[in-house]
Amino acid sequence: MTSIDILLKRNEELGNVVPGDRSSPRPSLNIAILTCMDARIRVFEIFGLIQGESHVLRNAGGVVTDDMIRSLALSQRKLGTREVLIVQHTECGLSMVTEDDFKDELEEASGLRPTWSVEAFRAVEDSVRRSVERVRRSDFLPHRDNVRGFVYDVKTGNLTEVAQQ
């Protein structure tokens, strides 16, 4: 049985047990949460979210990239979000690679060098600051005032706000 088969079986067994409002694509809390794809970050549990309250955007590192700006622009302009919560975390896999080494690895394996940025970082707090700043400076986003960034500790579950400099 594949992992996909396992997940489909779980879905069938669970049925419709997820609480929340499914009547609209507009998040009822008017917020978008951007975080890492790391499986240890259980966004709904961390914030006590129920279905329909928030957009949840995920990528490697939880960094603000052009594609995240695209999603946030749609979220704000078409679906009513007004706040952005950025959550990166301790022990992130993206802090364990370097931009050039990973691009070199991909180029060696495929014969092509990626044109996109890996967004590797060493200090998660600096990465959070950069991401918050990218949101605040984006002309595509009408709501840039209420943007806050945090580091989630994967061992303790604590959230620490990152002060902007």
Side-chain angles (χ1 to χ4, degrees):
M1 186 180 286
T2 69
S3 296
I4 293 172
D5 292 331
I6 291 168
L7 295 177
L8 291 173
K9 187 174 187 308
R10 287 181 187 172
N11 175 263
E12 187 178 308
E13 291 169 355
L14 282 173
N16 185 12
V17 297
V18 180
D21 182 3
R22 298 180 191 191
S23 64
S24 172
R26 299 173 70 87
S28 63
L29 292 179
N30 300 318
I31 189 167
I33 300 171
L34 190 157
T35 192
C36 185
M37 65 187 192
D38 191 297
R40 297 170 293 181
I41 302 173
R42 298 179 56 176
V43 180
F44 281 76
E45 289 85 351
I46 290 170
F47 296 108
L49 289 172
I50 60 173
Q51 197 171 40
E53 289 186 320
S54 173
H55 283 160
V56 177
L57 311 174
R58 298 182 86 141
N59 69 10
V63 295
V64 175
T65 60
D66 286 346
D67 192 53
M68 288 295 114
I69 293 293
R70 171 190 157 272
S71 293
L72 288 170
L74 287 161
S75 177
Q76 289 187 0
R77 292 180 179 275
K78 299 300 181 188
L79 298 166
T81 61
R82 302 285 184 263
E83 299 179 46
V84 179
L85 172 59
I86 297 170
V87 180
Q88 295 181 16
H89 65 96
T90 58
E91 299 179 15
C92 183
L94 203 53
S95 69
M96 299 172 193
V97 300
T98 67
E99 192 86 17
D100 287 334
D101 286 347
F102 190 62
K103 284 186 173 184
D104 290 345
E105 178 183 330
L106 294 175
E107 185 173 19
E108 185 177 316
S110 69
L112 301 170
R113 188 160 189 87
T115 56
W116 36 263
S117 177
V118 176
E119 299 286 344
F121 58 84
R122 289 290 169 255
V124 67
E125 294 83 2
D126 291 340
S127 180
V128 169
R129 282 187 196 95
R130 271 192 304 278
S131 285
V132 167
E133 203 52 39
R134 285 177 181 165
V135 171
R136 289 185 176 161
R137 290 182 181 189
S138 177
D139 291 332
F140 298 115
L141 304 176
H143 306 287
R144 299 175 287 186
D145 294 336
N146 204 351
V147 180
R148 294 169 65 185
F150 293 80
V151 174
Y152 174 73
D153 188 311
V154 296
K155 295 229 185 302
T156 66
N158 291 331
L159 284 165
T160 303
E161 188 159 11
V162 175
Q164 295 302 297
Q165 297 175 335

